[in-house]
């Protein structure tokens, strides 16, 4: 296991408003690894709804994703796909 890190630009039309943030956190919770997400020097637990809400990620802003653990590669790939898709997947697909 090696820590994975990647910068990604938010492409969700509404950014990380409540619905998208909730979907992102629910998605992150499905992976067996630590997930940290940073913006402008501030870092939060990617599995924490409250932490993620405090990032206020808007469309076209950059986030840095860091994953570490058993499913780190799958987790970072899935989160990148989520954040760069014009519309998030339906909640029943998470």
């Amino acid at each position: 296991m090696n820590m994975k890190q990647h910068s990604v630009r938010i492409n969700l039309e509404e950014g990380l408003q409540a619905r998208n943030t909730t979907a992102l956190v629910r998605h992150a919770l499905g992976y067996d690894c630590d997930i940290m997400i940073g913006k402008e020097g501030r870092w939060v637990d990617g599995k924490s709804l409250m932490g993620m809400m405090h990032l206020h990620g808007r469309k076209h802003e950059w986030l840095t994703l860091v994953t570490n653990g058993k499913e780190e590669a799958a987790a970072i790939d899935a989160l990148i796909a989520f954040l760069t898709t014009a519309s998030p997947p339906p909640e029943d697909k998470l």
Side-chain angles (χ1 to χ4, degrees):
M1 289 181 289
N2 292 325
M3 180 175 65
K4 302 289 182 191
Q5 181 172 330
H6 190 81
S7 292
V8 62
R9 195 168 185 189
I10 300 169
N11 194 38
L12 299 168
E13 191 60 41
E14 301 291 323
L16 287 177
Q17 43 72 320
R19 179 176 172 264
N20 289 342
T21 301
T22 300
L24 177 71
V25 170
R26 288 180 69 203
H27 205 54
L29 286 167
Y31 291 95
D32 184 14
C33 64
D34 295 324
I35 298 172
M36 296 299 294
I37 300 179
K39 179 183 133 187
E40 299 171 355
R42 182 172 180 187
W43 291 91
V44 299
D45 181 347
K47 295 182 177 184
S48 165
L49 183 57
M50 291 304 294
M52 288 300 302
M53 293 296 283
H54 288 288
L55 277 186
H56 304 290
R58 293 181 178 88
K59 185 174 182 177
H60 301 303
E61 289 184 327
W62 288 90
L63 299 177
T64 301
L65 311 177
V66 176
T67 58
N68 188 29
K70 188 175 181 179
E71 297 181 304
E72 62 195 26
I76 205 163
D77 289 345
L79 296 176
I80 290 167
F82 178 88
L83 289 164
T84 58
T85 302
S87 58
E91 292 205 18
D92 62 341
K93 301 249 180 188
L94 294 178

